[in-house]
Amino acid sequence: QVQLVESGGGYVQAGGSLRLSCAASGSIFSRNIMGWYRQAPGNERELVARITNGGTTNYADSVKGRFTISRDNARNTVYLQMNSLKPEDTAVYYCRCIVISVNDYWGQGTQVTVSS
């Protein structure tokens, strides 16, 4: 079993920055993908960014150049640095951990609100 605890959400004005953290505990095996997804009211949950345990990253086109995902494997923690935030980035952000060939876990979500 894996538990994911997110932190770092909040309220910020457009152009500002926030840093999200997701700490994983439990049976994290060597092969996993950790990522951030978001869901705005009335929208489907969408990928924001993800990173493999080897450091390969993928980003949604809408956040490229503004957001950076990183991870600390020793701490089983993934980060999302969000810069130049826009009102359309407002959503609940969820951490996800895919343990390859084992299971798929989600955090409880953290609210990010960007005012114009």
Side-chain angles (χ1 to χ4, degrees):
Q1 192 72 6
V2 172
Q3 294 79 42
L4 302 174
V5 178
E6 300 126 332
S7 60
Y11 180 94
V12 66
Q13 290 188 331
S17 299
L18 285 173
R19 189 193 195 205
L20 305 183
S21 299
C22 173
S25 60
S27 301
I28 299 290
F29 298 102
S30 59
R31 295 181 65 223
N32 61 74
I33 302 170
M34 297 190 75
W36 290 95
Y37 291 70
R38 66 187 181 187
Q39 188 168 19
N43 291 355
E44 294 185 353
R45 194 171 296 188
E46 62 178 3
L47 171 70
V48 177
R50 61 186 177 190
I51 183 168
T52 69
N53 53 283
T56 300
T57 58
N58 294 99
Y59 293 92
D61 287 343
S62 59
V63 307
K64 284 181 180 177
R66 300 188 298 122
F67 292 10
T68 302
I69 190 169
S70 61
R71 63 187 290 166
D72 182 338
N73 288 333
R75 298 176 184 269
N76 286 333
T77 301
V78 64
Y79 306 96
L80 186 69
Q81 178 66 43
M82 305 186 293
N83 298 328
S84 301
L85 282 160
K86 304 175 181 180
E88 51 263 44
D89 295 318
T90 296
V92 178
Y93 283 69
Y94 297 90
C95 179
R96 182 184 188 187
C97 178
I98 301 171
V99 181
I100 305 299
S101 301
V102 177
N103 216 330
D104 186 354
Y105 304 92
W106 291 88
Q108 80 284 356
T110 185
Q111 177 71 45
V112 171
T113 302
V114 184
S115 67
S116 58

